[in-house]
Structure formats: structure tokens, C-alpha cells
Amino acid sequence: MALEKLGKALNNALRKLARSGTVDEATIKEVVRDIQRALLQADVNVKLVLQLTKTIQKRALEEEPPAGVSRKEHIIKIVYEELTKFLGTEAKPLEIKEKPTVLLTVGIQGSGKTTSVAKLARHLQKRGYKVGVVCSDTWRPGAYHQLRQLLDSYGIEVFGDPNEKDAVKLAREGVEHFREKGVDVIIVDSAGRHKEEKGLIEEMKQISEAIKPHEVILVIDGTIGQQAYNQALAFKEATPIGSIIVTKLDGSAKGGGALSAVAATGAPIKFIGVGERIDDLEPFDPKRFVSRLLGLGDIQGLLEKIEELQKQQEFKEEDVEKFLKGKFNLKDMYAQLEAMQKMGPLKQILQMIPGLGYSLPDEAIRVGEEKLKRYRVIMDSMTEEELEHPEIINYSRIKRIARGSGTSTSEVRELLNQYNQMKKMFKSMNKRKLAKMAKKFNLGGFGV
Ligand SMILES: Nc1nc2c(ncn2[C@@H]2O[C@H](COP(=O)(O)OP(=O)(O)OP(=O)(O)O)[C@@H](O)[C@H]2O)c(=O)[nH]1
């Protein structure tokens, strides 16, 4: 797995948060410090780390979690969101629009460029594209044989000539050769070394002009950590870099530094190399990458649920105001109980997240569901006036409601008791406490 060490350290920080009793300022600061340490050890640039952790800390301290979401979950969401932003937010997949699409790969010697060309060719072949590879590396004759060795067995043709000294000519002829063959994608591997760096960049420019690639892909060695920033910038200035492959993220202690540094240049990372085998290439999606890195089971599911909740805003500000003024009727109670019920699936999602096992007893939801159905039946037998002003429900009304709903007077009383308890509780609360309770309430914390 990519960035295993960093992932473990970040996961530990979040687990510590999940285990802590209360989430106060000191806890948040400790978690932020742990995250800081983890990132610095992965060679992420100090300035970037400070910026990121400052934002996480500020948001964690200032933002109020939406109803139905605990502070801990909210902080996890913040960490996830900020780390994702840090790595570019949206996935930018490689697009094959035209036939043939010509890709030119560049990068310095030893970056893993030749291996990545083979991996990319295989990746595209697996997706149904007919691929041709051109080796225009005239400085390292071994590159041609290396590509053939990697690709012959997959039936992917490699065009090249180890004796040819003109890289531009080779690239042009190679592209022409595969155009005639009618392939879908042509990948041109360029030289990674030269007598001097200026020469390398110059050759890259000449090849680029000769074959007019749809996209130039820069291959960067992930083990160089934050130095990747300057390298990515230098190439970006010389050619219009369309995308980047960061290699060797398996087992590299500095991979986090390389990924964040490349993302900081604004060039999209489209793939990452995660091993020496031909299949060890992964399309890069910051969201998926970060949730896997953090080891958070189904965080995507959790986020969707939180979003849905935010939209629904079951427990609105105006409700809180209303309840505080003692205006809380049976309809309100039902709406709140219903909101609690909807939290069922969230509870399951929360339990899927390691270290966040929610402490709600199962019966709270199950009993709640059954009771809610009975309450619905009872309430259906009430008049509008009774629902709005439950205090008018006297004994003869209770008898009528029980008869009409096919329940017993004690069940109707139970509903009214529940209502009175809630109303009393709301009355005795100040606004802050109520907002806090609301969250619990939506999670079924009333022991219904
Ligand atoms: N562990 C690991 N090794 C990789 C990865 N990608 C490439 N390598 C290894 O890195 C070494 C250098 O890779 P090459 O592809 O030969 O390097 P290059 O950049 O083409 O080098 P030149 O052809 O000299 O420019 C090889 O031993 C590869 O097996 C990766 O994602 N993970």
C-alpha cells in the first residue's frame, strides 16, 4: 500500500480522538499536533504542514457540527476534507478522446519513467485500447529492451532502434508507424538522461514539436520527497505538462512529501506507482486516496449521510427557539422522533468506521422504531386541535383515542408522558444545552 507509515500515523491520531472522552480544545490541539508530526515525518513541506494544520484546528474549534453528527465525527470529516484539498480535491482521469491520442512521457533518469510507460500501456490495454509504445531514448539503449521485455508478452508493440542516435527522428517515425497501424493510443518514452540538463529539456521540446502530443506526462520519483516541487516546476516551465505520475509510493517514507509538493504546483497527479510489477499503477483520486490512507472504512458513505442530514436540517434554529418558548406540540415530537429513526443507517455507517464504534445500545433504535409506529397510529386518531394542544387531552379523550386507534389507554398515556417529559426538558434548558441535546436526540438518545 502507498504511504503506509503516514497512513498509520494519521489513523492513530484519529483513533486517539475517537477514544478521548470529551472533545475540548486541548484534545483538538493534541490531534492536530499528531497530524503535524505525521506529515513532517513524511517529508511534507513545513510551510504546507503549518497551513494545513492551522486550517484543521480553526475549523475544528469553530465549526458547529450539524444535527445528528457528533463533534468527533465532524473533526474526522474536517481532517479528511482538508487532506483531500491538499492533494488536489478532484480526480483528473486521463482522457482518451481522439484516435490516436499521443502521449509523451518525460522525467529524469531513474524516476521510473520507462517502467511507468509500460504500466500505463498495460493499464490502457486492460481498458480496451489498442496501444503502441515508442522508445525514443537514444541515451540508454537498454530502455528499448526493457520495454520489450515488459510488453512483448502482452502483445503491445514497441517501436525503437537501439542504434539510432536521433531521438526526434525516432519519435516522429514511431508515431507515424503507429498511426498507420491504427492504434488508439501512442505512448512515446523520451530520454531520461543527457550530457546536461539543458540538453534534456531542449530534446524534450524538439520531440514535443515534432509529434505534437495531446498530453505531456511527467514522471516523478516519489522517494525524493518535497524536492519534487522544484522538479515539477522546472519541467512545467519548459513544456506544458498535462499530468504527473508519482512513482515508488510503495514503502517510501517521503511519498507524502512528494505527493503534496506536486499537488502544490497545480499540476494534476493522474497516476501513482505503487510497486515494481506492471500492474502496480493506480489512477489517482484524492478522495479515495485519503480515505484509504486514513483507514476510514466507508467514509464516503458517512459523508453522504452527513450531507443529507445537513440538507434536511431536521432540527432547525427556529425549532430550537420555538421549543425554548415552550411551544412544543405532539407534531413536533413526532417529527423529532422520525428524524431519530432516519439516523438508523448512519449508526450502521458509524460502526463500520474502525475506532468509532458508536456507543448507542441497539435496542434504542429497534424499540424506537416499533414505538414510533404505535405513536403514529395513536396520533392518527387525534384531532388537529389535540395534536397542536396536547394539554386538552383529558381522560375521556384518551379513551376515545385508544378506541379509535385500536390501542390501550395506557399506551396513549405513555405517548403523552413521553411528550410531557420532552417538553419539560426543553423548558429547563438553555439554548446551548438544547442544541447539544438536539444532536443526541436525533441519534435516538432519549431512550425511546
Ligand atoms: N518499488 C517501486 N519501484 C519502481 C516503481 N516504478 C519504477 N520502479 C523501479 O525504479 C527503477 C527505475 O525505473 P526505470 O523505469 O528503469 O527508470 P527510468 O526513469 O526509465 O530511467 P531512465 O531510463 O534511465 O531514464 C526500476 O528498478 C523500477 O523497477 C514503483 O512504483 N515502485
Side-chain angles (χ1 to χ4, degrees):
M1 195 196 133
L3 315 191
E4 203 158 334
K5 205 170 152 220
L6 174 62
K8 262 196 196 131
L10 291 173
N11 186 266
N12 279 342
L14 295 184
R15 273 173 189 274
K16 209 193 258 180
L17 171 73
R19 275 199 310 268
S20 64
T22 47
V23 185
D24 52 14
E25 193 170 333
T27 319
I28 291 175
K29 284 190 171 157
E30 198 185 331
V31 171
V32 166
R33 260 198 309 275
D34 283 351
I35 294 174
Q36 239 168 31
R37 206 171 300 132
L39 292 170
L40 288 173
Q41 273 171 6
D43 197 41
V44 179
N45 178 278
V46 180
K47 240 163 97 186
L48 291 180
V49 173
L50 290 180
Q51 258 170 25
L52 173 82
T53 48
K54 212 170 125 194
T55 314
I56 292 177
Q57 180 160 324
K58 190 169 183 299
R59 287 188 60 193
L61 287 172
E62 289 175 8
E63 283 180 21
E64 267 303 312
V69 179
S70 76
R71 187 162 287 280
K72 285 178 190 175
E73 290 144 28
H74 191 60
I75 295 173
I76 289 175
K77 180 175 175 261
I78 291 171
V79 171
Y80 163 83
E81 278 174 357
E82 294 303 326
L83 281 174
T84 307
K85 250 191 250 165
F86 198 52
L87 294 181
T89 310
E90 291 303 324
K92 301 210 172 63
L94 179 69
E95 289 182 352
I96 309 295
K97 281 190 194 147
E98 265 174 69
K99 186 182 166 178
T101 290
V102 180
L103 307 171
L104 171 64
T105 55
V106 298
I108 62 167
Q109 153 199 1
S111 58
K113 185 170 48 58
T114 303
T115 315
S116 297
V117 165
K119 286 177 178 176
L120 185 59
R122 174 73 183 133
H123 171 87
L124 291 167
Q125 185 194 44
K126 278 196 276 184
R127 273 146 194 83
Y129 295 107
K130 197 167 183 325
V131 188
V133 171
V134 180
C135 178
S136 71
D137 187 346
T138 50
W139 294 84
R140 189 168 71 95
Y144 172 71
H145 299 292
Q146 191 185 345
L147 280 170
R148 287 210 45 189
Q149 201 189 4
L150 288 164
L151 295 171
D152 275 0
S153 56
Y154 295 102
I156 297 174
E157 188 185 334
V158 181
F159 180 96
D161 177 0
N163 300 317
E164 175 61 63
K165 289 282 162 254
D166 186 343
V168 180
K169 181 168 168 256
L170 259 182
R172 193 188 290 119
E173 282 177 6
V175 170
E176 210 38 59
H177 170 80
F178 285 119
R179 261 184 214 283
E180 276 164 23
K181 288 203 111 177
V183 302
D184 302 310
V185 188
I186 304 169
I187 309 175
V188 181
D189 184 15
S190 65
R193 68 184 82 174
H194 226 277
K195 273 200 290 276
E196 48 180 15
E197 201 170 296
K198 246 169 77 191
L200 178 70
I201 303 261
E202 191 47 45
E203 184 178 291
M204 206 175 75
K205 275 186 178 164
Q206 284 174 15
I207 293 181
S208 190
E209 268 159 38
I211 63 170
K212 305 220 169 2
H214 292 83
E215 187 158 321
V216 179
I217 303 175
L218 171 63
V219 179
I220 286 193
D221 183 340
T223 61
I224 66 171
Q226 57 178 303
Q227 284 176 40
Y229 183 79
N230 287 335
Q231 205 179 101
L233 269 192
F235 273 91
K236 234 180 126 197
E237 274 160 22
T239 40
I241 299 294
S243 58
I244 294 193
I245 299 179
V246 182
T247 64
K248 308 180 198 177
L249 287 183
D250 51 304
S252 160
K254 291 183 170 185
L259 271 184
S260 52
V262 171
T265 66
I269 301 166
K270 292 198 177 169
F271 293 94
I272 53 173
V274 291
E276 291 191 74
R277 291 170 310 132
I278 193 147
D279 289 316
D280 294 332
L281 183 79
E282 288 179 8
F284 184 67
D285 175 348
K287 285 184 181 151
R288 264 194 48 219
F289 186 80
V290 172
S291 38
R292 256 172 52 196
L293 184 67
L294 296 179
L296 299 179
D298 181 14
I299 195 162
Q300 218 47 43
L302 170 68
L303 295 174
E304 276 163 25
K305 195 72 208 173
I306 290 180
E307 239 165 61
E308 201 182 288
L309 272 171
Q310 273 167 328
K311 267 191 235 142
Q312 285 175 354
Q313 276 296 335
E314 307 286 2
F315 215 95
K316 295 189 194 101
E317 189 81 358
E318 58 233 56
D319 284 343
V320 176
E321 297 282 342
K322 202 174 93 182
F323 299 166
L324 276 177
K325 285 183 192 142
K327 287 183 192 151
F328 176 73
N329 61 29
L330 273 170
K331 282 183 180 169
D332 295 323
M333 177 176 94
Y334 190 82
Q336 295 313 315
L337 291 178
E338 217 177 14
M340 173 211 88
Q341 262 221 299
K342 284 191 195 138
M343 297 305 298
L346 175 59
K347 189 186 163 221
Q348 284 157 21
I349 291 169
L350 295 183
Q351 279 169 341
M352 281 160 62
I353 299 177
L356 257 192
Y358 226 73
S359 55
L360 271 180
D362 255 356
E363 297 87 280
I365 301 276
R366 202 168 48 82
V367 176
E369 264 171 43
E370 281 159 18
K371 225 165 247 180
L372 197 62
K373 268 191 212 141
R374 301 291 283 173
Y375 285 177
R376 175 84 265 175
V377 174
I378 296 172
M379 284 169 66
D380 280 345
S381 283
M382 291 181 183
T383 64
E384 196 62 21
E385 200 190 0
E386 285 165 349
L387 289 171
E388 301 252 351
H389 305 283
E391 57 284 356
I392 63 165
I393 305 179
N394 55 19
Y395 184 61
S396 70
R397 283 183 192 252
I398 290 179
K399 272 209 306 208
R400 194 210 78 236
I401 294 165
R403 235 190 353 262
S405 57
T407 57
S408 63
T409 50
S410 61
E411 276 182 284
V412 179
R413 273 215 200 88
E414 195 193 317
L415 166 66
L416 293 172
N417 272 344
Q418 173 95 45
Y419 162 74
N420 283 325
Q421 267 178 28
M422 279 192 184
K423 188 171 171 176
K424 211 153 76 201
M425 186 197 67
F426 283 138
K427 256 188 173 162
S428 66
M429 273 180 181
N430 61 28
K431 196 170 167 181
R432 247 185 98 81
K433 234 167 130 189
L434 183 58
K436 236 175 157 178
M437 202 67 189
K439 268 171 249 147
K440 244 182 146 176
F441 182 40
N442 279 349
L443 272 169
F446 274 112
V448 206

